[in-house]
Amino acid sequence: MNDTVLDVLDVLDVPVLFGRFLVLHDILSEAEIVQAARVQKELNSYSLFRLIELGTLTIEDVTRARAYQWKHMATFCEAVDALGILALNDCTAALKVLAQQNIPLGEVLVRQGKMTPKALANALEKHRQSWESSRADVVERT
């Protein structure tokens, strides 16, 4: 790995994202991470579609709520509440549950066959150790 990159990382007091960590440690290529991250983003970012799939909302509900959002510059949950489609608290809770079910990058990489479960576990442990080490350095400097 490039010593300059390592020196820069030593000064940062924010954890290196896992995908970047995999690239910097020559575990996977940048292209492999970019492709997996695209899949991850698409799978995780369509909460409204997931609410439709679950039968919580209809396409018409989403269309009406999105129009309300644009007109009133409101959040989606505020819009469905104002339109009487779904209570604000129920919408917020549903989106929170969906966010907790998001697929992590590591799982995408394993399912794509780019890493074995064992290699993922090892990389996650190295990432955790690296993050803890960098946090300890920051605490010592303060």
Side-chain angles (χ1 to χ4, degrees):
M1 187 175 355
N2 186 332
D3 288 337
T4 307
V5 172
L6 286 175
D7 292 340
V8 170
L9 291 177
D10 289 339
V11 216
L12 295 176
D13 62 353
V14 294
V16 176
L17 297 175
F18 185 60
R20 177 65 43 217
F21 175 86
L22 294 172
V23 172
L24 292 174
H25 287 83
D26 296 322
I27 296 170
L28 291 172
S29 71
E30 184 85 26
E32 290 171 313
I33 295 300
V34 167
Q35 200 277 331
R38 261 192 214 121
V39 170
Q40 178 196 28
K41 180 180 177 187
E42 286 183 13
L43 289 173
N44 293 339
S45 68
Y46 297 115
S47 297
L48 300 183
F49 292 137
R50 292 166 71 193
L51 290 174
I52 292 168
E53 288 173 344
L54 295 170
T56 306
L57 298 174
T58 66
I59 293 173
E60 293 77 22
D61 293 335
V62 173
T63 302
R64 287 178 48 221
R66 296 284 290 155
Y68 184 96
Q69 274 187 282
W70 278 100
K71 183 176 181 182
H72 299 281
M73 289 292 126
T75 66
F76 182 79
C77 288
E78 291 169 341
V80 293
D81 182 56
L83 294 169
I85 297 169
L86 191 61
L88 179 65
N89 290 342
D90 293 340
C91 179
T92 304
L95 292 179
K96 184 177 180 181
V97 166
L98 290 175
Q100 292 169 344
Q101 296 172 353
N102 282 345
I103 185 168
L105 181 63
E107 186 174 340
V108 173
L109 292 166
V110 168
R111 288 174 144 190
Q112 288 180 336
K114 293 181 178 148
M115 296 184 86
T116 65
K118 184 176 181 177
L120 173 62
N122 290 339
L124 286 169
E125 179 59 22
K126 287 178 185 174
H127 183 252
R128 183 191 62 76
Q129 289 171 354
S130 172
W131 185 82
E132 287 177 354
S133 173
S134 68
R135 290 296 302 152
D137 290 344
V138 169
V139 169
E140 286 178 13
R141 285 187 245 150
T142 56

